[in-house]
């Protein structure tokens, strides 16, 4: 039977629309993808033991162990250094605010003082690692512009969106842009490349997430400072989520005592 | 049987608590750059800190071993032993403890809760302080932190009498120290966080930590009563951190003495801090004293009783650096390299009132985890035409300090 060309066109159009509608990236912009990451279900709280391994260009390493407790997707975070011995007892409190600058406080046992740190020092390295304070805080969705670069690219066997994030001036970021690979299923970051204000690649990050109790939880983060030939590996162990962490934990007084096992 | 169950209960309490300990062993040596000989002063060879946590309670103990190479004499020191209770509103600590107030690094006019051990006056933090029996309460309410302290004993500064190698000129050791009438000391502090600032107001009522003359014939001394009003602030301006601290002292003789002195004076410390893109921290700190008012007499060794003036008034409390000069500028730079294995520090202190400079440099290298090699140089430059200049007398203290530290 001869098919009228118009009908063929309609069929093709309908088929294309149906295919597009069922495609994950249908109608999505970079902002939509970023928003889906921001809205990804997260546990109410998380407790974990961290091992932070710093490796320099000569392959020499330095290992620290930390205990981390956070709530509300990391908006409130408390961190205690457990080793090496000369760092033991140092602790850090971060409280992110929507309407004002974040609060960062450091407890220094040798001085018996809680020292407030400027949240403007975003580019400063956290305890000598390749993570800056900016890397450790959540990005405000509306403080960045987003562009969807690719709808489907496989990285580490994971199908990903690729988006570009350009911080707005209000973000006062140390970076000019990020290119992030976001897992289609799960909406967590898989890879990220971050560029400095000269447009040069500054850091490359790799994230490993695993599913735990219906949540995608990070188990490993690898950050390489390309320009300094230095890297940091964070391993998350003994992860406990939704244990009912009290919001009152995130107070200055709790910086002074090591967390109870 | 009853005793067995009691012991069992205590044992279970101990087993199911949390224990933590930390410490260091740090042998070191100071060599004079002037004479090439050892500076024979005691130093803290090791420290051991222990904490026991059970529920909302912590027990903290800090002990130290102090030794002197020249004599081999070793002393143990229970520096702190106190219990902390963590209720929902804050923390309450009771016992022999070291407390710290103030926003500025190192030189804190408002931090007068503990006496100083002048053997360690050039060290930082709690290392140079002496613990005292006290109760401290911190109450947190939103952006406010309220602190109350009651100190149950008066502890004076520990001064290195009869130490020929100690750099500062001290009076002869008194024959008798008059006890203070009321040893109780009180402090209150209110801190508020307001955006990019932390602001604190404090009040302290107690007695001086350094003595004043009571009876010149018997060489008896006493401690003036002093009220201190303080304010400190931390403020962030872009990438610069500003820290400021100021204290007003109202002091008066309240012991039996022909030298009844009353005075009002102040101390301040203003600090600016900036971290470069290479993670080098730069600090500049302006420290100074202000003299407002005096009345009474003091004893001049040559002239006898004379009116008190800013030239002969001895401050009895406040930051130790105030003893060295009335106004000085301290600048420093520090950086960490090789993944925090290597720390480099440099500092320069310039006396702004008279001639006098202190130069310091420090290298701390950790070749293996928990081990650190320390090397420091401190050089004092005075005024050769003025032998009474403090920095001229400090020239003899110019030294190299070397040591090895093991942390556990």
């Amino acid at each position: 039977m001869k098919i009228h060309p118009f009908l063929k066109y309609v069929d093709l159009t309908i088929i294309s629309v149906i295919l597009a509608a069922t495609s994950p990236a249908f109608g999505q912009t970079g902002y939509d993808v970023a928003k889906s990451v921001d809205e990804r279900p997260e546990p109410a709280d998380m407790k974990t033991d961290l091992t932070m391994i710093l490796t320099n260009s000569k392959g020499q390493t330095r290992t620290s162990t930390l205990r981390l407790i956070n709530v509300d997707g990391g908006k409130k975070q408390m961190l205690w250094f457990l080793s090496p011995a000369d760092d033991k007892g140092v602790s850090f409190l971060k409280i992110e605010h929507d309407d004002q600058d974040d609060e960062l406080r450091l407890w220094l046992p040798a001085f018996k003082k809680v020292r407030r740190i400027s949240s403007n020092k975003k580019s400063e390295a956290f305890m000598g690692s390749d993570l800056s304070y900016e890397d450790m805080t959540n990005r405000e969705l509306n403080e960045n512009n987003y562009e969807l670069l690719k709808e489907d690219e496989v990285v580490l066997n994971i199908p990903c969106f690729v988006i570009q994030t350009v911080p707005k001036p209000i973000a006062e970021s140390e970076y000019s842009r990020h290119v992030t690979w976001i897992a289609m299923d799960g909406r967590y970051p898989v890879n990220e490349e971050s560029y400095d204000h000269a447009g040069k690649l500054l850091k490359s990050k790799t994230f490993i997430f695993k599913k735990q109790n219906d949540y995608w939880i990070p188990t490993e983060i690898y950050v390489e400072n390309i320009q300094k030939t230095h890297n940091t590996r964070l391993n998350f162990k003994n992860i406990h989520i939704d244990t009912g962490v009290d919001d009152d934990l995130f107070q200055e007084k709790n910086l002074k005592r090591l967390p109870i096992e | 049987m009853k005793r067995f169950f009691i012991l069992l209960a205590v044992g279970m309490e101990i087993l199911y608590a949390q224990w933590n300990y930390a410490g260091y062993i740090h042998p070191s040596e100071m060599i004079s750059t002037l004479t090439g000989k050892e500076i024979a002063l005691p130093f803290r060879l090791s420290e051991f800190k222990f904490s026991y946590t059970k529920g909302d309670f912590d027990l903290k103990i800090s002990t130290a071993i102090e030794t002197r190479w020249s004599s081999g004499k070793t002393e143990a020191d229970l520096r702190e032993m106190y219990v902390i209770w963590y209720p929902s509103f804050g923390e309450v600590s009771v016992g022999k403890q070291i407390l710290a107030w103030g926003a500025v690094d190192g030189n804190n006019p408002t931090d007068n809760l503990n006496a100083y051990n002048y053997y360690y006056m050039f060290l930082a933090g709690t290392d140079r302080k002496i613990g005292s029996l006290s109760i401290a309460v911190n109450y947190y309410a939103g952006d406010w932190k309220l602190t109350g302290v009651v100190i149950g004993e008066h502890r004076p500064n520990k001064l290195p009498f009869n130490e020929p190698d100690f750099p500062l000129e001290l009076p002869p050791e008194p024959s008798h120290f008059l006890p203070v009438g009321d040893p109780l000391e009180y402090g209150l502090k209110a801190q508020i966080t307001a955006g990019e600032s932390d602001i604190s107001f404090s009040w302290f009522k107690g007695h001086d930590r350094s003595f004043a003359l009571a009876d010149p014939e018997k060489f008896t001394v006493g401690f003036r009563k002093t009220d201190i009003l303080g304010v400190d602030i931390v403020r962030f301006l872009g990438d610069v951190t500003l820290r400021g601290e100021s204290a007003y002292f109202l002091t008066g003789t309240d012991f039996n003495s022909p030298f009844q002195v009353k005075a009002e004076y102040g101390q301040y410390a203003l600090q600016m801090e900036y971290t470069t893109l290479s993670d080098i921290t730069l600090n500049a700190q302006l420290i100074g004293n202000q003299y407002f008012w005096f009345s009474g007499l003091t004893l001049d060794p040559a002239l006898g009783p004379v009116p008190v003036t800013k030239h002969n008034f001895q401050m009895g409390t406040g930051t130790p650096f105030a003893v060295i000069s009335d106004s000085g500028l301290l600048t420093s730079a520090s950086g960490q390299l090789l993944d925090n294995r290597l720390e480099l520090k440099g500092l320069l202190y310039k006396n702004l009132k008279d001639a006098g400079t202190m130069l310091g440099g420090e290298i701390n290298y950790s070749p293996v985890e928990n081990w650190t090699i320390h090397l420091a140089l401190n050089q004092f430059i005075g005024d050769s035409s003025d032998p009474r200049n403090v920095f001229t007398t400090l020239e003899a203290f110019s030294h190299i300090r070397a040591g090895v530290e093991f942390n556990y």
Side-chain angles (χ1 to χ4, degrees):
Chain A
M1 178 172 117
K2 190 178 178 181
I3 298 170
H4 195 280
F6 176 74
L7 284 175
K8 194 186 287 184
Y9 171 78
V10 170
D11 283 340
L12 284 170
T13 306
I14 289 168
I15 289 165
S16 301
V17 166
I18 289 168
L19 282 173
T22 55
S23 159
F26 172 67
Q28 288 197 62
T29 62
Y31 177 84
D32 293 331
V33 174
K35 189 164 183 278
S36 67
V37 174
D38 194 56
E39 292 174 349
R40 183 183 81 234
E42 284 177 317
D45 58 66
M46 184 168 94
K47 295 182 188 178
T48 181
D49 290 333
L50 281 176
T51 303
M52 184 167 77
I53 304 167
L54 311 182
T55 307
N56 65 16
S57 57
K58 294 178 183 173
Q60 295 166 321
T61 62
R62 178 181 161 96
T63 303
S64 302
T65 58
L66 307 93
R67 184 151 306 145
L68 169 70
I69 300 178
N70 69 42
V71 297
D72 201 12
K75 284 195 171 179
K76 290 186 181 179
Q77 200 174 79
M78 200 164 256
L79 206 146
W80 295 264
F81 276 83
L82 304 178
S83 73
D86 49 355
D87 286 341
K88 187 174 181 178
V90 174
S91 53
F92 173 72
L93 168 64
K94 180 196 77 173
I95 300 176
E96 292 180 21
H97 294 287
D98 293 327
D99 54 349
Q100 62 186 62
D101 286 321
D102 301 341
E103 271 180 69
L104 304 176
R105 294 183 190 273
L106 195 64
W107 165 247
L108 298 169
F111 296 87
K112 281 207 162 182
K113 282 186 180 175
V114 176
R115 192 184 162 89
R116 187 159 177 201
I117 305 169
S118 170
S119 58
N120 292 327
K121 289 187 177 179
K122 290 180 179 176
S123 62
E124 193 173 316
F126 176 72
M127 299 300 282
S129 73
D130 296 290
L131 287 102
S132 61
Y133 285 106
E134 179 177 348
D135 292 330
M136 293 174 63
T137 52
N138 291 307
R139 280 178 209 155
E140 290 295 326
L141 193 62
N142 296 321
E143 285 186 355
N144 301 279
N145 289 318
Y146 306 93
E147 181 187 349
L148 182 65
L149 298 179
K150 285 182 186 174
E151 292 178 4
D152 190 354
E153 185 168 307
V154 177
V155 173
L156 300 175
N157 293 323
I158 300 169
C160 297
F161 297 109
V162 185
I163 67 168
Q164 176 170 270
T165 305
V166 178
K168 296 176 183 174
I170 193 175
E172 295 179 314
S173 174
E174 62 168 318
Y175 303 109
S176 60
R177 67 186 178 103
H178 308 274
V179 176
T180 314
W181 285 257
I182 306 286
M184 285 181 176
D185 176 31
R187 302 298 167 113
Y188 54 83
V190 177
N191 260 6
E192 182 166 88
E193 290 175 351
S194 302
Y195 295 80
D196 63 17
H197 285 283
K200 293 183 183 172
L201 179 61
L202 176 59
K203 293 182 188 174
S204 171
K205 302 165 196 161
T206 302
F207 306 84
I208 296 177
F209 277 68
K210 287 197 176 150
K211 205 146 189 192
Q212 184 172 332
N213 293 14
D214 297 329
Y215 302 110
W216 286 97
I217 305 293
T219 58
E220 191 174 321
I221 297 175
Y222 175 81
V223 180
E224 184 173 359
N225 188 313
I226 305 296
Q227 295 176 12
K228 290 183 181 176
T229 324
H230 192 281
N231 67 72
T232 299
R233 189 178 297 277
L234 286 171
N235 290 315
F236 296 69
K237 289 178 185 170
N238 300 326
I239 302 172
H240 300 278
I241 56 176
D242 289 340
T243 59
V245 171
D246 198 330
D247 222 36
D248 286 342
L249 173 71
F250 301 92
Q251 292 183 50
E252 193 179 289
K253 65 174 186 176
N254 293 316
L255 284 168
K256 304 174 189 177
R257 59 185 330 210
L258 286 168
I260 296 170
E261 302 277 349
Chain B
M1 194 62 164
K2 190 177 172 184
R3 201 175 291 174
F4 168 76
F5 279 111
I6 291 170
L7 281 172
L8 183 66
V10 169
M12 294 295 281
E13 282 292 304
I14 292 170
L15 277 174
Y16 285 99
Q18 181 166 287
W19 305 78
N20 280 293
Y21 67 88
Y24 65 79
I25 301 168
H26 184 185
S28 64
E29 179 76 279
M30 286 168 66
I31 304 291
S32 168
T33 56
L34 212 61
T35 64
K37 292 182 181 175
E38 180 199 357
I39 294 179
L41 290 173
F43 66 95
R44 212 165 272 144
L45 175 63
S46 72
E47 193 161 351
F48 177 73
K49 293 185 180 183
F50 168 81
S51 70
Y52 167 90
T53 295
K54 181 87 175 130
D56 290 337
F57 290 88
D58 281 359
L59 166 67
K60 290 190 186 284
I61 299 173
S62 173
T63 61
I65 303 256
E66 192 177 274
T67 193
R68 189 193 291 257
W69 292 127
S70 54
S71 65
K73 191 180 168 191
T74 300
E75 279 180 23
D77 180 16
L78 177 64
R79 299 196 65 219
E80 293 183 283
M81 182 169 171
Y82 59 102
V83 174
I84 312 178
W85 170 46
Y86 293 95
S88 58
F89 63 79
E91 38 189 307
V92 180
S93 57
V94 182
K96 182 179 182 182
Q97 55 187 317
I98 294 171
L99 302 164
W101 281 4
V104 168
D105 295 333
N107 298 295
N108 302 103
T110 65
D111 190 7
N112 300 290
L113 303 170
N114 293 96
Y116 287 96
N117 184 336
Y118 271 66
Y119 280 102
Y120 304 111
M121 67 174 286
F122 292 109
L123 295 182
T126 60
D127 282 345
R128 58 182 174 173
K129 289 184 165 186
I130 302 172
S132 52
L133 282 172
S134 60
I135 300 172
V137 178
N138 284 324
Y139 179 87
Y140 298 89
D143 290 329
W144 286 87
K145 176 184 167 186
L146 303 171
T147 302
V149 178
V150 177
I151 302 170
E153 57 176 358
H154 172 256
R155 276 203 182 244
N157 292 331
K158 183 174 179 180
L159 296 176
F161 294 112
N162 308 313
E163 291 277 6
D165 285 358
F166 187 73
L168 296 176
E169 194 180 331
L170 294 176
E173 186 170 8
S175 61
H176 179 62
F177 292 82
L178 292 173
V180 299
D182 178 8
L184 282 181
E185 301 182 322
Y186 310 90
L188 286 172
K189 184 175 174 186
Q191 176 185 302
I192 181 167
T193 297
E196 289 280 281
S197 301
D198 280 353
I199 305 168
S200 298
F201 299 95
S202 62
W203 166 75
F204 178 78
K205 185 181 183 66
H207 285 82
D208 282 350
R209 303 290 178 212
S210 293
F211 55 78
L213 188 61
D215 185 333
E217 289 181 14
K218 294 177 185 173
F219 197 31
T220 306
V221 299
F223 299 89
R224 291 189 300 257
K225 71 172 183 182
T226 300
D227 280 39
I228 306 167
L229 294 173
V231 61
D232 66 67
I233 183 167
V234 180
R235 172 101 180 121
F236 305 116
L237 288 177
D239 290 339
V240 175
T241 301
L242 299 174
R243 300 180 195 273
E245 203 170 315
S246 179
Y248 163 81
F249 300 78
L250 174 61
T251 188
T253 305
D254 68 341
F255 50 84
N256 196 13
S257 170
F259 306 105
Q260 293 289 311
V261 174
K262 282 187 183 175
E264 294 176 17
Y265 62 96
Q267 289 182 351
Y268 61 87
L270 303 169
Q271 179 178 324
M272 200 162 70
E273 190 181 307
Y274 175 73
T275 303
T276 68
L277 290 173
S278 316
D279 286 331
I280 295 171
T281 302
L282 304 172
N283 256 307
Q285 195 179 99
L286 184 67
I287 315 158
N289 304 317
Q290 289 283 331
Y291 303 94
F292 302 126
W293 180 80
F294 303 97
S295 78
L297 299 174
T298 187
L299 182 68
D300 184 291
L303 303 172
V306 295
V308 176
T309 67
K310 72 174 187 178
H311 300 293
N312 57 29
F313 174 73
Q314 298 293 325
M315 285 179 283
T317 193
T319 175
F321 244 83
V323 171
I324 296 177
S325 86
D326 276 341
S327 179
L329 180 65
L330 177 66
T331 54
S332 66
S334 62
Q336 307 256 7
L337 301 167
L338 306 179
D339 291 332
N340 293 352
R341 270 200 294 273
L342 177 65
E343 184 185 25
L344 302 173
K345 290 184 189 175
L347 73 85
L348 167 68
Y349 179 84
K350 184 82 183 80
N351 186 349
L352 299 178
K353 286 278 182 169
D354 299 308
T357 304
M358 179 176 90
L359 285 165
E362 205 171 311
I363 300 172
N364 301 311
Y365 176 58
S366 178
V368 176
E369 190 172 290
N370 298 330
W371 287 88
T372 309
I373 299 167
H374 297 281
L375 190 62
L377 167 68
N378 286 296
Q379 198 73 16
F380 296 88
I381 304 164
D383 181 355
S384 56
S385 64
D386 181 5
R388 292 201 61 81
N389 179 300
V390 170
F391 281 79
T392 306
T393 58
L394 279 170
E395 282 180 356
F397 192 60
S398 299
H399 62 271
I400 293 172
R401 189 175 70 246
V404 175
E405 183 175 348
F406 172 67
N407 285 276
Y408 58 90

